[in-house]
Amino acid sequence: MANKILVVDDAAFMRMMIKDILTKNGFEVVAEAADGQQALEKYKEFQPDLVTMDITMPEMDGITALKEIKKINPNAKVIMCSAMGQQAMVIDAIQAGAKDFIVKPFQADRVIEAISKTLS
């Protein structure tokens, strides 16, 4: 059975890119969200195996959403996505429970490596 993944990013283009990488590599994207609040709702609804989470988003940022998801499921697997130059936020994300992070612009092999490693 394919691993179910929730893709969270406020940029539709980024969601499309990561979804494309995932589906080509045999993963199932069960839902997408454009902000942290939507991410929580979709997480509760779909119970995905893994979440890719953008850090900088409107409404609720990725780190806050990560903390909230961890309250729902302490074993949740979340990989943060960030643009270059957000190292301090990445450290915050790892401390909040993120399993890994990928840097934008996405490189397909790095995305798959991070996801495979986190799911294994």
Side-chain angles (χ1 to χ4, degrees):
M1 192 178 99
N3 288 104
K4 300 184 310 213
I5 300 179
L6 166 61
V7 175
V8 185
D9 199 304
D10 58 329
F13 174 72
M14 286 295 174
R15 290 198 308 270
M16 190 180 75
M17 269 179 59
I18 203 161
K19 185 176 179 178
D20 189 50
I21 292 168
L22 294 172
T23 51
K24 281 182 179 158
N25 285 277
F27 296 99
E28 182 189 358
V29 176
V30 290
E32 296 177 36
D35 62 53
Q37 195 57 53
Q38 279 184 18
L40 286 179
E41 291 159 18
K42 302 278 186 191
Y43 188 85
K44 289 175 194 166
E45 183 180 346
F46 291 96
Q47 303 286 306
D49 299 309
L50 184 131
V51 180
T52 65
M53 179 85 69
D54 187 21
I55 291 181
T56 316
M57 294 181 292
E59 302 299 322
M60 182 190 290
D61 68 78
I63 294 174
T64 306
L66 165 67
K67 289 174 181 168
E68 292 300 315
I69 285 173
K70 285 290 196 178
K71 285 179 191 169
I72 299 165
N73 176 4
N75 299 317
K77 293 182 168 129
V78 181
I79 294 178
M80 302 308 282
C81 307
S82 74
M84 286 302 226
Q86 292 183 323
Q87 277 77 5
M89 288 179 171
V90 168
I91 292 166
D92 288 348
I94 300 291
Q95 288 171 340
K99 299 290 185 200
D100 203 342
F101 69 95
I102 41 184
V103 178
K104 298 176 189 177
F106 299 123
Q107 278 147 347
D109 54 351
R110 173 66 187 117
V111 171
I112 297 309
E113 176 201 336
I115 288 175
S116 300
K117 190 173 78 181
T118 301
L119 288 170
S120 64

